Amino acid sequence: MYFDITGPPTRAALHEYVKYSSDPRDKMSLKKLSSTDYDIIQDQRLNVVDVLMKHPSCNPPFDIFCELTPQQHPRYYSISSRAGAPLELTVGCLQYKIDSQQHFGLCSNFLAGVKKSPPPPGNQGSSTRVWAALQESQFRLPQDHSRPIIMICNGTGIAPFRAFIQDRAHQAQSGSSVGSCLLYFGCRNKQELLHADELLRYQKAGVAELNIAYSREPGVPKTYVYELLSQQKEKLSALINGGKAIVYICGAANTMAKDVMVTLAGVLRPGVKHTDGSAMEVMDGLITNGQAFLDVWG
């Protein structure tokens, strides 16, 4: 059993910490954090260790501390390599500062720190053990390789689409007829264009069409991925309505994905309004018909 001391404490834990604090100021602060000031925990991204460091008189018994601390939860990552190839992940390392103190995401930085090294003598596996499990997902390519696909993402949302494009390339090399493969990828600048060389090779080979939206690239007009969709509305409408293309969206739910869904709804049903809920009705229809799949977070 592993405890997540890098995660935020719960309100209940903060309330219990009051009992084990000897300093009245710590008691008052923890009491507020457990109720009216809990937003501070979220806004400043304070974890269990941060809170205890800021309240030095808080000293709960170890067994109580374990009861109050959440267990570590699995971290879910999309596989970014095609089936049959060595398994690869595309992971963003979470790193941030609070009061000049550096903080690191637990799993992402662990993975980043894993060193490739020769396995021990007589052992065919890696010298670093990583516990992992596969989870079934509906986020997969259609069985009909000739069916067009439209992939929309930002940041590490490229992960499953890299696998999709690799798969389409493999099918093409095997002699199969593959459909259009359009990628709409939003990132801040060229340095954040993940797997750039590989994606450009696939575009040169005619496997995929890349549409990149840069929002912070010097000398390039600020563009967001949903704006690219709007610029190509005739093509997208024809592919989705006439060509039965499947739409895949992967990325941040409250920003990129939300804007993308509203834009797509407007592409498919001109005049649709976001405020009356009709935009989501359009997307819900695509999802119900198996023509749209979402892998979003946040």
Side-chain angles (χ1 to χ4, degrees):
M1 183 180 298
Y2 296 89
F3 297 100
D4 192 359
I5 61 174
T6 65
T10 64
R11 288 178 183 269
L14 292 167
H15 181 74
E16 289 297 310
Y17 286 166
V18 175
K19 301 178 183 178
Y20 302 102
S21 300
S22 57
D23 189 323
R25 292 171 298 182
D26 286 348
K27 285 179 175 288
M28 180 59 68
S29 175
L30 288 166
K31 188 175 181 179
K32 288 182 177 180
L33 286 175
S34 70
S35 55
T36 57
D37 289 352
Y38 190 74
D39 286 348
I40 294 176
I41 299 292
Q42 299 171 322
D43 295 342
Q44 298 185 15
R45 306 177 81 169
L46 300 179
N47 59 36
V48 172
V49 174
D50 295 327
V51 170
L52 293 178
M53 293 288 287
K54 289 176 180 291
H55 302 84
S57 76
C58 181
N59 188 25
F62 183 70
D63 58 335
I64 300 296
F65 173 77
C66 291
E67 290 180 11
L68 298 175
T69 304
Q71 294 183 28
Q72 286 184 14
H73 295 290
R75 270 60 169 180
Y76 297 101
Y77 299 109
S78 296
I79 295 173
S80 63
S81 53
R82 71 172 181 85
L87 190 150
E88 295 181 7
L89 302 176
T90 300
V91 179
C93 288
L94 178 61
Q95 299 181 4
Y96 57 95
K97 285 186 177 181
I98 297 176
D99 297 334
S100 73
Q101 182 178 354
Q102 190 75 26
H103 290 252
F104 301 90
L106 181 64
C107 188
S108 61
N109 285 276
F110 166 76
L111 292 174
V114 171
K115 303 295 183 182
K116 291 184 178 180
S117 56
N123 186 340
Q124 298 302 312
S126 169
S127 59
T128 300
R129 176 174 294 181
V130 177
W131 295 100
L134 296 178
Q135 186 178 47
E136 285 293 324
S137 171
Q138 297 300 315
F139 208 77
R140 60 182 65 184
L141 284 169
Q143 293 184 348
D144 181 0
H145 303 303
S146 65
R147 196 165 180 180
I149 60 172
I150 299 167
M151 304 165 288
I152 308 165
C153 67
N154 67 337
T156 54
I158 187 63
F161 300 147
R162 177 181 181 239
F164 285 5
I165 295 171
Q166 286 183 357
D167 190 271
R168 281 285 168 101
H170 179 72
Q171 294 299 331
Q173 291 171 0
S174 301
S176 298
S177 175
V178 296
S180 301
C181 190
L182 279 66
L183 173 66
Y184 295 86
F185 188 3
C187 49
R188 289 185 294 186
N189 51 53
K190 291 182 179 180
Q191 286 69 39
E192 295 187 2
L193 181 57
L194 303 174
H195 306 296
D197 292 342
E198 180 181 344
L199 293 175
L200 290 171
R201 285 199 304 271
Y202 286 130
Q203 176 168 254
K204 186 176 181 179
V207 174
E209 175 188 314
L210 306 186
N211 300 274
I212 312 300
Y214 293 114
S215 61
R216 300 289 188 277
E217 176 65 20
V220 176
K222 179 185 292 188
T223 308
Y224 293 101
V225 70
Y226 71 89
E227 294 176 312
L228 292 181
L229 303 177
S230 184
Q231 293 168 11
Q232 300 186 19
K233 57 186 178 182
E234 290 82 7
K235 176 198 289 189
L236 293 172
S237 178
L239 282 171
I240 298 171
N241 289 325
K244 297 301 179 184
I246 298 180
V247 178
Y248 301 89
I249 302 172
C250 187
N254 293 328
T255 52
M256 186 280 295
K258 181 179 178 181
D259 292 334
V260 162
M261 288 189 285
V262 171
T263 302
L264 278 177
V267 166
L268 300 175
R269 189 188 296 175
V272 70
K273 295 181 180 179
H274 169 58
T275 53
D276 62 8
S278 54
M280 286 311 303
E281 289 179 7
V282 176
M283 291 305 302
D284 287 342
L286 287 177
I287 293 170
T288 300
N289 294 332
Q291 240 186 306
F293 295 89
L294 278 64
D295 184 0
V296 298
W297 58 85

